[in-house]
Amino acid sequence: MKIVLAQQNYHIGNFEKNIEKIISAIEKAKAGGADLVVFSELCICGYPPRDFLEFNDFINKCYQAIDEIKQHADTIGVLVGSPAKNPVVQGKDLFNAAFLLYEKEIKGEVHKTLLPTYDVFDEYRYFEPAFDWKVLEFKGKRLAVTICEDIWNINDNPLYRICPMDKLMEQNPDVMINLSASPFDYIHEEERKSVIKSNVIRYKLPMFYCNAVGSQTEIVFDGASLIFDKEGNLCKALPSFEEAVEGVTLNDDGSVVESTYDYIKPITHIKPNPLKYDPKLNIPVIYTALIHGIKDYFQKMGFTKAILGSSGGIDSAVTLALACEALGKENVRAILMPSPYSTEHSVNDAVKLSENLGNPYDIIKIADIYESFLSTLKPIFKDLPFSIAEENIQSRTRGNILMSIANKFGYILLNTSNKSELATGYGTLYGDMAGGIGVLGDCYKLQVYALAEYINRDTEIIPDNIIHKAPSAELRPDQKDVDSLPEYNILDEILYQYIERRKGPQEIKNQGFESALTDRILKLVNSNEYKRNQFCPIIRVSPKAFGVGRRVPIVGKYLS
């Protein structure tokens, strides 16, 4: 039996486009002599549909799409993911389901059992877990079909009380097939391979694993679908961050005709995040994920052009380089807005960067606007000393200029704040925190430097001076980031332990970090939740990003 995986980039709620993609893949699989083509989790509507699932019309469109697609499932079996109505009065109205289409009919339906509610997932909000488990009969083969999380309950500390594959094994299946929408993060791919291999070793069955690809606002899917034979050999890995329709021929004995040995160690438990923060870990794949995050956000929202403030600093430089790669240099406009405290070399560095990239740029000096604000506010401010108020006027002036140009010409503003700044509140609401999408908001400062080095791997794109000068907001004379924050090698490590690894203050101090400094940093994180709550979506590249996957009370007292 030849089984093909269709790894595709869907658009949530764009049924016409999704149907077109699915039918195209079916026809390609047919042309290649496939018996069965497998698609990813909720491919019909796109993942995650969230509260769209509460609209009856949305669910009806899913069924209409299945009716259209099944007309092409004549001589080939098709496994697609879609919401399915729950015919039972009890429980939630929907299942997260997979449909087997063949001979222009629905031949089978299976439901997802394990509904994750951690991090970016909130599936139990919408779906009822499966309450029965049946293999699907197809062309003499018994298919054990599961959906994403259903194969992740294999470790020695299970998250759930049921293991769906244990139930399906009672019916003597011949092959495991998993429809998945497994989000990218920079440590997830090897973990995913190990989990799949662990299933293969445990159940002694081949595995066909089809993952989604593409970005849905903040969540990036990397594809990298996998096929293992029953011995645990990785026979085929589809490309990361690309659409692909590829497969292999499965022999009756569970071997694969195109088998190539690739050793992957099975795991007995899910690995935690790395114990120590490594700012250079998997930077090339983070770079690729950010490019795809920008590109898909613009394409799926119907945007074509971006704007950002270019300060001559590392964050705006990396953001600009990423955006030019994702959208084309001609579609990214940089605005340089020197204030009375901006250094000449910062302006020159920003100009040189745009010249290297070839993107359009403008220089708009804000000194007169800034002085106008000060003059207007003088009766209120009186003779009070210079403070954060005057600093933030400059930042908000820049935000207003950027948004004005964006509104006039139809640009989307790219935010350039990094994760270290967002964590500690080192940013100005309605100023440098403005934007439509946060490009670097899930990258700590040292990761931003590592990205800059990667961007310059072949030639100097980001001027060397931008990379090596001391970072500064340049909102007051001789200002440096270290005036307000610890050195980034210390700050980022403490933030990583708290945010990614969820370590409390004493646990962090036990690692050798100074007590008062740890308390100060964690207090900054918690007291600035109100700022992050108003921030734009952030492209997620880590195991724990700010945004939908991290829910912390704004008014919480814990650790503060």
Side-chain angles (χ1 to χ4, degrees), residues 308-321 335-337 342-354 357 398 416-418 421 440 445 448-449 452 455 461-474 481:
L308 78 164
S310 182
S311 68
I314 190 72
D315 300 314
S316 61
V318 170
T319 303
L320 181 56
I335 308 296
L336 290 61
M337 295 168 285
S342 298
T343 58
E344 184 178 353
H345 68 74
S346 290
V347 177
N348 294 338
D349 290 341
V351 169
K352 178 63 174 173
L353 172 66
S354 283
L357 289 166
R398 290 175 174 132
T416 65
S417 300
N418 64 64
E421 293 172 342
L440 298 178
K445 188 74 170 187
V448 177
Y449 280 107
I455 290 166
I461 295 172
I462 298 175
D464 187 68
N465 190 52
I466 289 179
I467 296 175
H468 291 102
K469 67 185 175 185
S472 170
E474 294 191 337
D481 285 8

Side-chain angles (χ1 to χ4, degrees), residues 250-261:
L250 180 67
N251 293 323
D252 289 341
D253 64 359
S255 63
V256 170
V257 172
E258 300 86 345
S259 179
T260 56
Y261 178 78

